Amino acid sequence: MKVLEAVGVRKKFHRKEVLHGIDITLEEGEIVGFVGPNGAGKSTFIKSVLGLYHLDGGSIQICDYDVKKDFEKALRNVGCIVENPDMYQNISGWKNLQICALMNGISHPKNLEVLVKLVHLEEAIHHKVKTYSLGMKQRLGLAQALLNHPKLLILDEPTNGLDPLGIKELREILKRINQEYKMTIFISSHILSEIENVCDRVILIQEGKIIENIVVSEIKDKNISLEDEFLTKTLKQDGE
């Protein structure tokens, strides 16, 4: 099943085209990395998938619903963290989850305790969010993104600012979510080593163009790191 299908996606800002005909397909149950330098178009593409930008060309479908024509039906299948997750600092993590559920039309959420355990916040969930570490806030944001049982989870630079322990913990949680719920996860990041550790496939983007689609197991079989492969493809693209 195609969870996400983007075809010929183009986006301009002030007549400058920043996405040049992007084609991306994500299948059910994949963990896919989206890698590129700053300004490559990663966040622009993600915000286009979420319907935050009007496309200048192409189409995006989520679970067979067109984002432009069937916005609400398409986005019902998505959970996301873009930049920093929003939450109220002076109330508990638990109350934040309840409020987020109500805002998303989930009047009687039955999965809160399951989500809290999934993101390892059992001991802190009734404490005020202002007492949380950055890693705890990121995990609470992840729980918020999972409230609607999405088919597609989108994370934009989820490890920014996290220490090594926080990164490891987030990686393990994402793998568990993928395995237990067969959820498709799309991760934008510039930390190649982390992408390599968690993803099945990696899409490389540079200057608004997809330059390569890499199956992680294949480069591991060749004893090549993702960083080496990325540099090779980037230098090749620059030389063309």
Side-chain angles (χ1 to χ4, degrees):
M1 174 184 173
K2 293 179 182 179
V3 174
L4 172 71
E5 186 173 28
V7 180
V9 173
R10 296 183 178 275
K11 179 60 187 172
K12 295 179 182 178
F13 291 113
H14 306 296
R15 298 184 181 179
K16 180 182 179 182
E17 193 164 47
V18 295
L19 296 180
H20 303 270
I22 299 291
D23 295 329
I24 289 178
T25 299
L26 305 181
E27 301 287 345
E28 184 178 23
E30 284 191 296
I31 305 180
V32 179
F34 195 38
V35 174
N38 291 335
K42 300 189 300 295
S43 292
T44 299
F45 177 74
I46 285 173
K47 289 177 181 179
S48 297
V49 170
L50 297 174
L52 300 176
Y53 289 147
H54 171 77
L55 299 183
D56 293 300
S59 64
I60 298 172
Q61 289 192 333
I62 300 171
C63 296
D64 294 328
Y65 292 109
D66 188 280
V67 171
K68 183 178 179 180
K69 298 176 182 176
D70 293 300
F71 177 77
E72 289 187 8
K73 290 180 180 178
L75 270 291
R76 280 179 197 155
N77 295 288
V78 180
C80 67
I81 301 178
V82 178
E83 299 171 351
N84 296 317
D86 291 327
M87 53 193 68
Y88 298 100
Q89 300 294 314
N90 290 314
I91 60 175
S92 69
W94 183 265
K95 288 183 178 178
N96 266 278
L97 288 177
Q98 290 179 317
I99 290 170
C100 186
L102 287 172
M103 290 173 66
N104 285 278
I106 307 170
S107 55
H108 299 289
K110 299 178 180 179
N111 61 335
L112 291 191
E113 291 185 0
V114 173
L115 290 177
V116 168
K117 186 175 180 180
L118 180 65
V119 300
H120 304 164
L121 280 176
E122 300 99 309
E123 294 183 7
I125 195 62
H126 294 293
H127 300 166
K128 290 183 179 180
V129 170
K130 66 181 181 181
T131 67
Y132 285 16
S133 67
L134 180 60
M136 293 164 68
K137 289 178 181 178
Q138 196 74 339
R139 284 182 274 130
L140 180 61
L142 183 58
Q144 290 177 336
L146 296 171
L147 279 167
N148 62 332
H149 302 283
K151 293 279 197 289
L152 173 62
L153 177 63
I154 298 175
L155 305 173
D156 190 11
E157 301 283 1
T159 58
N160 268 2
L162 297 185
D163 60 25
L165 182 61
I167 292 173
K168 181 177 181 292
E169 196 163 27
L170 182 62
R171 179 176 71 231
E172 291 172 351
I173 291 170
L174 293 178
K175 286 183 176 180
R176 184 179 171 189
I177 290 169
N178 173 256
Q179 291 168 1
E180 292 189 10
Y181 298 97
K182 305 300 180 186
M183 192 178 297
T184 304
I185 304 176
F186 189 52
I187 310 172
S188 163
S189 181
H190 63 278
I191 304 177
L192 297 177
S193 59
E194 272 313 302
I195 286 291
E196 188 171 5
N197 284 331
V198 74
C199 292
D200 306 306
R201 185 162 58 92
V202 178
I203 297 169
L204 304 183
I205 183 172
Q206 185 177 12
E207 296 180 352
K209 299 177 183 178
I210 302 300
I211 61 172
E212 191 67 30
N213 215 311
I214 298 170
V215 178
V216 173
S217 61
E218 291 180 359
I219 64 170
K220 287 184 176 179
D221 289 342
K222 297 176 184 177
N223 291 318
I224 302 171
S225 71
L226 180 58
E227 184 175 1
D228 289 338
E229 186 74 0
F230 175 71
L231 289 172
T232 299
K233 299 299 181 182
T234 302
L235 289 171
K236 180 180 177 181
Q237 185 76 11
D238 286 341
E240 290 179 351

